[in-house]
Amino acid sequence: MSIPPGVYRVEIAWAAGPYEFFGEHFDGVECAATRLCISDDPVVGWETGLGADEDIDQLQPDHEPRFFSDANVGCFADAGAWTTLSAPFHTFVDGIPAPRDTEQLDDGCERVRNESQQADLVTFGAESGGVVWLGRTEAGDVAAIVVTSGMAGAKA
């Protein structure tokens, strides 16, 4: 799937509520899902997004392809500029991520810009176990991509 070059809106759905972690109680706010809005056309159906090496025919019945992340971070990025845009996240000093020259956004996300390629990468919270959903228009075009954050059974 290819998305035409352009500027697209990113929306984040937040979930807030108390939780317990190792016996301690906290009030928390977490990213529940992130949506890349490609078109304002209405979405008439949703389908599971697959990775480049996944085949729908190889999935077991009633199993959704989930992604796994050891850093609990996802991103939307220009694929043509991927190597340059993702480089700051692959730099380590003594096994520790090196400080990176990124723009901190108000919602806790980061943005990397590459002016020469006119491309951006925007990060968002995405815990392991999430699912990627493609929202299609009446014409079959992708109008939105939604990434749930580690919530089994979450629907777009």
Side-chain angles (χ1 to χ4, degrees):
M1 169 186 69
S2 180
I3 298 171
V7 175
Y8 299 103
R9 187 174 70 250
V10 175
E11 299 173 337
I12 298 175
W14 299 95
Y19 67 96
E20 180 181 341
F21 184 71
F22 286 111
E24 288 190 61
H25 295 281
F26 300 91
D27 287 323
V29 177
E30 297 291 332
C31 172
T34 304
R35 175 172 49 197
L36 179 67
C37 302
I38 300 162
S39 165
D40 289 329
D41 293 343
V43 170
V44 298
W46 292 94
E47 66 186 58
T48 306
L50 298 175
D53 59 348
E54 294 177 315
D55 181 353
I56 195 74
D57 295 329
Q58 301 298 318
L59 295 177
Q60 297 178 15
D62 299 325
H63 283 85
E64 295 169 329
R66 298 191 176 282
F67 64 83
F68 297 94
S69 166
D70 57 359
N72 291 339
V73 174
C75 71
F76 293 120
D78 184 306
W82 175 254
T83 301
T84 302
L85 293 171
S86 66
F89 299 93
H90 297 285
T91 306
F92 293 84
V93 176
D94 297 326
I96 298 171
R100 47 186 180 255
D101 185 20
T102 61
E103 178 185 355
Q104 297 295 313
L105 304 177
D106 291 338
D107 51 14
C109 300
E110 289 179 74
R111 179 179 13 226
V112 177
R113 292 178 180 244
N114 182 292
E115 295 299 330
S116 67
Q117 294 181 317
Q118 296 182 338
D120 291 350
L121 176 150
V122 175
T123 68
F124 53 87
E127 293 182 21
S128 283
V131 177
V132 177
W133 295 98
L134 305 178
R136 295 208 179 257
T137 66
E138 183 86 30
D141 298 324
V142 175
I145 300 172
V146 174
V147 180
T148 64
S149 187
M151 299 176 298
K155 299 296 180 196

